[in-house]
Amino acid sequence: MGAALLAATVGVAGCTAPDLADLPLPGGAPSGPAYRVTAEFTDVLDLVPQASVKVNDVTVGSVEKISLRGWTALVRLRIDRAVKLPGNATAAVRQTSLLGEKYVALAAPVTEAPAGQLDDDAVIPLARTKRSAEVEEVLAALGLLLNGGGLAQLKTINQELSAALEGREPAARDALRQLDAFVTGLDRQKADLVRAVDALDRLTGRLARQRAVIGDALSALDPGLTVLAEQREQLSDALTALGELGRVGARVVTESREDLVASLKALQPTLEQLVRAGDALPKSLDFMLSYPFPPNVTGAIVGDYINLSLTADLDAAAILANLFSAKPVAKPPSRSGTRPGGSTSGGRPGSTGGGQRPGGGTGNDRPGGVGPLLPGVLPPVCLPVGGLLPIDWLPPLLPECELPPDCELLRPGSVLPPGGLLPPGGVVPPGTIFPPGTKLPLGAILSPGCLLPPPDGATNGRTGGLLDVLGGGLLR
């Protein structure tokens, strides 16, 4: 009876005992929807399935499976669906305490910005996984240090450092202060240093991409460098000869300095005349190339005919003003003075007195009683023919060559008086007592007395013929 009861009891117990594989093990994650992620490790230590998966020390899942692929451990993690992690999350095998269990810690990256989202079947590569140091490793390193692995060396280093710094404490402190200032300066320029390193990185990258071009350039330089190497002696001789030529040239220039200066001074008048000639010289050369025809005659030649044109200025007002409307020149007062040769004249260059001149008369009357000259019409016989009118020029003692008393030539560089005239280019323009085109020294100034008075249209009621008008008899 007892044996039967025991057998029945064992049978019932065998039928109703739960399977151990279906029982929940310690750790794990809350039940519910989850997604699975695979993390790659080089070493998982003694991590086991059903170990916890934590985020910020909060359990969010469990280790579902650990497998091996070559030398890499593959850890399959089951994570609660409500936990959101970036796609570039990191994984690490850590320990709860000194002798506690291992677990997998997931976290956002600290060296880069989070990107994307960790989804089902995602893989965390080896580059983003690590493990913590084992207690055995820490104790082994400590044992190595305590058993003479480095204490003796540290003692020697300490003694030698103390001996080196003894008596040099101020210098050491100053060095430390300078090092601190240097490091501080580097820290302030961190952005510039980063930009410089980035720019250097871009430069090296570009050089790397153009490696073939640089190689071709160096290969193309090789023949030229070979020729230069072969002609090294000739180049050295040429440079030596060039140095000797420089010394000879310097000696020649030094010895011929005075002759060169004299030649340049002798060339100065010629250059001045070329400057005064202005554009007349190139125009004459242009005409010389087409002699005997002017350069613009080509447009006038048609077959065996030449077209001619004539331009006449028939401005009646200008003609009448030139003939009738100019004011007469005032009769200068008599002045005494002696000219070269014993004649009398005014007391300043450029003016003549009203005294007796050779041949009789006062100089205001022309021979034959025709009357004085028209103002501004000085006969060519009074001016130097074919040359400049010098500053100290005096008109000949002729009745036709009398100047107004206030007319004089001022030297170049003189102050321009009010009402005076600085002839452009030294050539007298119309409107003065001198014929237009008279040449003066460059920079010479005409005083106001040498300018013609403006026409006023006044008449004096005299009558006469054309010869009287041209001779100036009607203007007395």
Side-chain angles (χ1 to χ4, degrees), residues 326-330 348 375-377 403-409 416-424 427-434 440 444-455:
K327 291 183 178 179
V329 178
R348 63 174 178 80
V377 182
L403 293 177
D406 297 330
C407 177
E408 59 178 329
L409 300 178
L416 182 66
L421 174 66
L422 177 62
V427 180
V428 177
T432 70
I433 65 168
F434 297 102
L440 302 177
I445 299 175
L446 294 177
S447 65
C450 299
L451 306 182
L452 290 176

Side-chain angles (χ1 to χ4, degrees), residues 112-201:
E112 56 182 323
Q117 183 175 347
L118 201 63
D119 292 328
D120 200 10
D121 295 332
V123 177
I124 302 177
L126 288 173
R128 298 203 300 269
T129 62
K130 61 182 179 178
R131 70 177 182 85
S132 60
E134 284 286 278
V135 177
E136 295 84 356
E137 296 173 349
V138 176
L139 294 178
L142 183 59
L144 179 63
L145 179 64
L146 296 178
N147 291 330
L151 292 180
Q153 290 81 353
L154 289 177
K155 180 180 179 181
T156 303
I157 293 173
N158 189 22
Q159 291 176 349
E160 296 298 330
L161 186 61
S162 299
L165 295 178
E166 185 178 1
R168 301 181 180 86
E169 291 81 0
R173 283 194 296 269
D174 183 66
L176 291 177
R177 283 194 293 267
Q178 294 182 10
L179 181 61
D180 179 68
F182 175 72
V183 174
T184 303
L186 288 180
D187 183 68
R188 286 196 300 265
Q189 298 179 0
K190 186 187 301 181
D192 297 335
L193 293 175
V194 171
R195 281 198 300 271
V197 172
D198 292 340
L200 184 61
D201 178 68

Side-chain angles (χ1 to χ4, degrees), residues 41-399:
F41 290 91
T42 56
D43 186 2
V44 293
L45 303 176
D46 55 350
L47 184 71
V48 296
Q50 297 299 321
S52 300
V53 177
K54 298 184 178 182
V55 175
N56 294 332
D57 293 333
V58 176
T59 302
V60 297
S62 62
V63 175
E64 191 174 65
K65 181 181 179 182
I66 299 176
S67 60
L68 187 65
R69 185 182 62 193
W71 296 96
T72 303
L74 303 180
V75 180
R76 189 170 181 82
L77 309 176
R78 182 177 181 275
I79 304 173
D80 193 334
R81 179 68 66 180
V83 177
K84 304 297 181 182
L85 292 171
N88 54 351
T90 61
V93 176
R94 300 191 184 280
Q95 196 168 355
T96 56
S97 62
L98 185 62
L99 300 176
E101 64 175 349
K102 302 292 190 302
Y103 67 93
V104 177
L106 299 179
V110 295
T111 58
E112 56 182 323
Q117 183 175 347
L118 201 63
D119 292 328
D120 200 10
D121 295 332
V123 177
I124 302 177
L126 288 173
R128 298 203 300 269
T129 62
K130 61 182 179 178
R131 70 177 182 85
S132 60
E134 284 286 278
V135 177
E136 295 84 356
E137 296 173 349
V138 176
L139 294 178
L142 183 59
L144 179 63
L145 179 64
L146 296 178
N147 291 330
L151 292 180
Q153 290 81 353
L154 289 177
K155 180 180 179 181
T156 303
I157 293 173
N158 189 22
Q159 291 176 349
E160 296 298 330
L161 186 61
S162 299
L165 295 178
E166 185 178 1
R168 301 181 180 86
E169 291 81 0
R173 283 194 296 269
D174 183 66
L176 291 177
R177 283 194 293 267
Q178 294 182 10
L179 181 61
D180 179 68
F182 175 72
V183 174
T184 303
L186 288 180
D187 183 68
R188 286 196 300 265
Q189 298 179 0
K190 186 187 301 181
D192 297 335
L193 293 175
V194 171
R195 281 198 300 271
V197 172
D198 292 340
L200 184 61
D201 178 68
R202 290 194 299 270
L203 175 61
T204 54
R206 184 170 299 178
L207 291 177
R209 290 193 298 271
Q210 296 180 354
R211 184 181 302 172
V213 178
I214 297 175
D216 295 340
L218 294 177
S219 300
L221 286 176
D222 181 67
L225 296 177
T226 303
V227 173
L228 289 177
E230 294 174 353
Q231 297 181 354
R232 180 179 179 180
E233 296 183 0
Q234 292 87 336
L235 292 175
S236 301
D237 297 340
L239 292 176
T240 304
L242 183 61
E244 183 64 25
L245 176 63
R247 287 191 292 271
V248 174
R251 186 172 67 251
V252 170
V253 171
T254 302
E255 294 178 356
S256 62
R257 177 181 178 182
E258 296 181 358
D259 296 338
L260 180 61
V261 172
S263 300
L264 293 177
K265 289 182 178 179
L267 188 62
Q268 182 177 359
T270 303
L271 297 178
E272 291 178 352
Q273 295 302 323
L274 288 176
V275 172
R276 290 183 60 83
D279 58 350
L281 181 60
K283 288 182 179 179
S284 62
L285 293 177
D286 188 19
F287 179 77
M288 186 184 301
L289 296 176
S290 60
Y291 182 81
F293 302 104
N296 57 355
V297 78
T298 56
I301 298 177
V302 181
D304 54 350
Y305 293 93
I306 297 179
N307 297 326
L308 299 178
S309 61
L310 177 66
T311 302
D313 187 0
L314 301 178
D315 189 353
I319 296 174
L320 293 177
N322 291 334
L323 293 178
F324 303 109
S325 302
K327 291 183 178 179
V329 178
K331 189 173 184 180
S334 298
R335 298 184 183 181
S336 59
T338 304
R339 281 191 173 191
S343 61
T344 60
S345 66
R348 63 174 178 80
S351 64
T352 59
Q356 296 292 330
R357 293 195 177 195
T362 62
N364 294 326
D365 297 328
R366 299 186 61 188
V370 179
L373 293 171
L374 283 172
V377 182
L378 198 63
V381 72
C382 301
L383 301 175
V385 179
L388 295 175
L389 191 63
I391 297 297
D392 54 355
W393 172 79
L394 293 174
L397 294 176
L398 296 176

